[in-house]
Amino acid sequence: MTPLDPVMVLGAYAVGVFPMADHRSANGVYWVEPKRRAILPLGGFRLSRSLRKVIVSNRFRVTADTAFEQVIGLCAQSAEDRPETWISGQIEEVFTQLHRRGHAHSVECWLGDRLVGGLYGLALGRAFFGESMVSRERDASKVALAWLVARLKIGGFTLLDCQFQTDHLASLGAIEISRADYLGRLSSAVDGVVAGALGAAAAAGSALSPSVDAAASGDFFALDAAGRSAIDTVAAPPDGKVIAQLLGQTS
């Protein structure tokens, strides 16, 4: 059985396909292309009053790319509401490689020094493919998603793929679209970067190649850079009040 590798995975996401496994210890994966795709429009995140209060209070310390392997490991753990996981060791390993090469990212929520939630996904061009999110404290995954949406908005991304619709995602603003609609949005979001990204991934340890058009790629870290935001009060790192401003009106 052919093992997953970064080039294979990036190429699959570029055409709308992603890997899943039957269970944690599965030796292989299957490739999925849903007929209906869930996306979260970056201007349509549903910020409830209660969630806004949590964000503004800075209850959680939120970071990005500081504990990727811990986040994916936490997402892969079984829980009372999710006794089995689709994140096999093979998937965990290839995403860890993609993270080391600058393609996969995480958002982490902390209480003190304890990781209590977060999410991870893959960035390609102006698309971000959300893979999984986890919460070990109330609202932690919602806060992580809110920070992700703010980060993608500031970074110039145009597509946040959520794969499958759930009631939880729908409550936060996710919608379902047809495969054809999704592929059109995806093509626009990855235009100009796929060949360069695949070439870079083929060179072990490298990030995006110099041949990639920087203007065609989102900047995952733009939120952290002073003076890069449309809101003058953004500093590095931003606090919850800034995130709430970026997400707009409450529902």
Side-chain angles (χ1 to χ4, degrees):
M1 186 172 294
T2 304
L4 290 176
D5 67 72
V7 176
M8 178 193 302
V9 172
L10 285 174
Y13 277 86
V15 296
V17 182
F18 56 88
M20 297 185 74
D22 286 323
H23 50 80
R24 177 66 172 158
S25 58
N27 292 322
V29 302
Y30 55 95
W31 297 92
V32 183
E33 186 181 15
K35 292 181 179 179
R36 302 284 296 174
R37 196 80 167 225
I39 66 168
L40 204 166
L42 296 177
F45 183 82
R46 200 166 292 156
L47 181 64
S48 67
R49 288 180 174 83
S50 59
L51 180 56
R52 187 183 188 281
K53 287 180 180 178
V54 174
I55 292 171
V56 170
S57 74
N58 291 307
R59 177 189 173 200
F60 300 106
R61 178 170 59 90
V62 184
T63 57
D65 276 10
T66 66
F68 182 89
E69 293 182 41
Q70 287 176 261
V71 169
I72 193 171
L74 197 62
C75 287
Q77 289 179 6
S78 60
E80 186 175 340
D81 62 341
R82 186 180 59 184
E84 194 51 83
T85 177
W86 57 268
I87 305 172
S88 66
Q90 193 177 27
I91 290 174
E92 185 173 355
E93 171 59 27
V94 78
F95 267 88
T96 299
Q97 292 179 44
L98 285 163
H99 170 64
R100 291 170 181 167
R101 301 180 191 191
H103 296 288
H105 302 285
S106 60
V107 175
E108 306 94 19
C109 287
W110 307 83
L111 280 179
D113 293 328
R114 184 166 66 98
L115 180 66
V116 296
L119 56 83
Y120 78 96
L122 179 71
L124 183 61
R126 294 183 300 274
F128 189 89
F129 307 90
E131 286 297 299
S132 185
M133 57 185 183
V134 64
S135 187
R136 292 293 183 264
E137 290 285 340
R138 182 176 179 178
D139 294 324
S141 63
K142 291 181 180 180
V143 169
L145 184 59
W147 279 70
L148 174 68
V149 171
R151 184 171 289 276
L152 299 183
K153 287 178 72 173
I154 290 299
F157 287 80
T158 59
L159 176 65
L160 173 51
D161 174 24
C162 300
Q163 298 180 346
F164 299 109
Q165 181 70 300
T166 65
D167 291 342
H168 178 63
L169 287 171
S171 72
L172 295 168
I175 62 173
E176 263 192 331
I177 60 175
S178 69
R179 178 189 294 167
D181 188 359
Y182 174 78
L183 290 176
R185 297 180 190 221
L186 174 64
S187 177
S188 176
V190 302
D191 183 44
V193 302
V194 174
L198 294 180
S206 67
L208 289 175
S209 80
S211 63
V212 175
D213 180 1
S217 296
D219 182 354
F220 190 77
F221 300 104
L223 184 64
D224 304 319
R228 294 289 300 278
S229 172
I231 293 183
D232 294 338
T233 56
V234 169
D239 66 10
K241 291 181 180 179
V242 171
I243 299 304
Q245 283 182 279
L246 288 170
L247 294 177
Q249 299 299 315
T250 56
S251 60

